[in-house]
Amino acid sequence: MSILITTVVSVFIFGLVVMIHELGHFICAKKAGIQVNEFSIGMGPALFSRVKNGTRYSIRALPVGGYVSMEGEDEELSEEEQFSDPEIPPEAKTGLPFPKVKVWKRIIVVAAGAVMNLVLGFVVLLLLFSGSDTLASRTVALVEEGSAVEASGLQVGDEILAINGRRCFVTNDIIYELQRSEDFTADFTVKRNGEKVQINDVQFDQVQNGDTVTMNMGFKVYALEKTPLNVIGQAFDYTLFYARLVFRSLVDLVTQRVSVTELSGPVGIVSAINQAAGMGLSEVLSLLALLTVNLGIFNLLPFPALDGGKLVFLFIEGIFRRPLPKRFEIWVNMAGLFFLFAVMIFATFNDITRLF
């Protein structure tokens, strides 16, 4: 895939995911009556900038982030507000500072960015499934004759509910859990003739592929009838599937099931976009859905510097009727930000190492 196409697609995906996220913050802040000083897509030097109704709208050179700057959000308020942007005079700022708005409104504003990412993921998946030829169910349609799966007791008509104790909502859940299974063996929970049945130690045939050994699933599932209700259901379930991947990946890192050397950063994402662009529009949209849902869920994690960390401070303020000291919040967020930058640098180093 040419560098030009990869660049265009990468900028489109990064820009759309960031714009939707920041738009969520921006719209809710405006509705809550908060003064928004700047709405920026991208970081670094400004390529385009315009002031309208007391807010600066900017497009910046680096399409790797963005921000909504709200009055008083990250600084201690004084009796007389200080305005650093000469093009936005104090009289043009008709909104309230962020800390002066009711705490429940601030919670909505902070959470809105991640929610918009999830909504975007759902809409993209809705478009994908609307244009697909078939929808896959979780009901077994075929078991290969003479296969290890057949000998283990899996039958045609079984609806797969869980694998290794983990609930399966979509076919990708089934594939994901089987890939994580050890020794080509898994425990199935199925619905058979209206009853829940446990099938332990389901065996899978092994296929030698060069130096690697892969699993032969040995069964196929029925297609779902393509109705509007089924399309919406699949889009919703796959949004949940992508969301669960974030938590599963974090658990795998903590438990060392996956090495930290597998972490990937912006370079790895661009490499994935390059591969997706070479496979067609549907793969690009699938990756877009994955990235935007991942960004939404990741931002809701209760970690300093993320939206989830800010929500923790707001919930504490709501419970105790008073905010924590602003200086403490700033230092905690700075520490979290430095940690996230360190992780990004490490992940980028991993990406570059894999490339060369």
Side-chain angles (χ1 to χ4, degrees):
M1 185 58 56
S2 70
I3 295 177
L4 177 61
I5 294 177
T6 299
T7 302
V8 171
V9 175
S10 298
V11 170
F12 169 75
I13 289 179
F14 281 121
L16 180 59
V17 169
V18 170
M19 183 185 72
I20 288 295
H21 182 92
E22 300 304 334
L23 194 61
H25 293 313
F26 175 77
I27 292 174
C28 288
K30 286 287 190 179
K31 291 291 184 182
I34 297 171
Q35 169 60 38
V36 179
N37 292 333
E38 184 171 359
F39 174 70
S40 175
I41 301 300
M43 306 293 282
L47 301 177
F48 168 83
S49 180
R50 180 186 177 187
V51 175
K52 183 178 180 181
N53 298 329
T55 300
R56 178 179 294 280
Y57 298 87
S58 305
I59 297 177
R60 299 183 178 271
L62 302 176
V64 292
Y67 57 88
V68 171
S69 175
M70 291 175 278
E71 189 72 43
E73 182 184 15
D74 296 316
E75 57 185 333
E76 296 183 76
L77 294 174
S78 59
E79 289 294 327
E80 296 182 0
E81 297 294 335
Q82 301 297 316
F83 306 107
S84 59
D85 194 329
E87 294 187 38
I88 308 179
E91 59 270 18
K93 297 189 174 186
T94 57
L96 294 172
F98 182 79
K100 296 297 185 181
V101 175
K102 291 182 178 179
V103 68
W104 67 267
K105 289 185 177 181
R106 283 180 277 153
I107 288 173
I108 292 175
V109 171
V110 172
V115 172
M116 284 292 283
N117 281 128
L118 299 179
V119 170
L120 174 61
F122 173 76
V123 171
V124 171
L125 289 168
L126 196 61
L127 292 173
L128 274 172
F129 288 118
S130 297
S132 64
D133 296 327
T134 58
L135 306 175
S137 72
R138 291 174 291 117
T139 303
V140 178
L142 170 70
V143 177
E144 292 181 6
E145 189 174 349
S147 65
V149 169
E150 183 186 44
S152 298
L154 193 66
Q155 299 178 9
V156 172
D158 287 347
E159 181 185 355
I160 300 172
L161 301 178
I163 295 177
N164 294 331
R166 296 182 182 89
R167 181 73 184 272
C168 295
F169 296 95
V170 294
T171 50
N172 275 24
D173 279 320
I174 298 172
I175 296 170
Y176 180 79
E177 293 300 339
L178 291 180
Q179 288 176 338
R180 291 161 56 88
S181 298
E182 298 178 357
D183 302 324
F184 301 96
T185 303
D187 297 331
F188 277 60
T189 304
V190 303
K191 182 184 287 185
R192 179 182 297 170
N193 299 324
E195 296 183 358
K196 187 180 290 187
V197 177
Q198 185 70 28
I199 312 173
N200 293 325
D201 299 326
V202 175
Q203 300 288 326
F204 292 89
D205 292 314
Q206 302 177 27
V207 178
Q208 189 73 36
N209 186 10
D211 294 332
T212 60
V213 179
T214 59
M215 173 189 292
N216 175 30
M217 288 181 59
F219 70 91
K220 296 181 179 179
V221 296
Y222 283 110
L224 284 173
E225 182 183 0
K226 191 178 176 183
T227 64
L229 190 60
N230 282 340
V231 168
I232 293 172
Q234 287 278 286
F236 181 78
D237 286 342
Y238 269 87
T239 302
L240 292 180
F241 168 73
Y242 287 148
R244 290 172 72 192
L245 281 180
V246 178
F247 296 105
R248 290 177 176 183
S249 299
L250 288 174
V251 170
D252 285 347
L253 283 172
V254 172
T255 59
Q256 297 185 337
R257 184 187 183 100
V258 174
S259 171
V260 291
T261 58
E262 296 298 316
L263 278 174
S264 189
V267 175
I269 294 174
V270 171
S271 178
I273 291 173
N274 179 55
Q275 295 177 20
M279 299 171 69
L281 179 61
S282 62
E283 293 299 323
V284 172
L285 291 177
S286 294
L287 184 58
L288 169 59
L290 172 64
L291 290 176
T292 187
V293 171
N294 269 256
L295 177 63
I297 295 298
F298 186 77
N299 258 283
L300 288 177
L301 295 176
F303 188 83
L306 298 177
D307 290 340
K310 296 178 183 178
L311 288 173
V312 171
F313 284 111
L314 289 174
F315 281 123
I316 291 174
E317 180 181 343
I319 293 170
F320 294 101
R321 305 293 183 179
R322 58 181 297 180
L324 291 170
K326 196 66 181 179
R327 189 173 299 277
F328 172 77
E329 182 179 344
I330 291 173
W331 278 106
V332 169
N333 284 329
M334 285 293 292
L337 196 61
F338 279 123
F339 177 79
L340 291 176
F341 273 129
V343 171
M344 182 176 291
I345 292 171
F346 178 74
T348 303
F349 175 78
N350 287 340
D351 292 336
I352 295 173
T353 301
R354 280 191 288 268
L355 284 175
F356 293 99

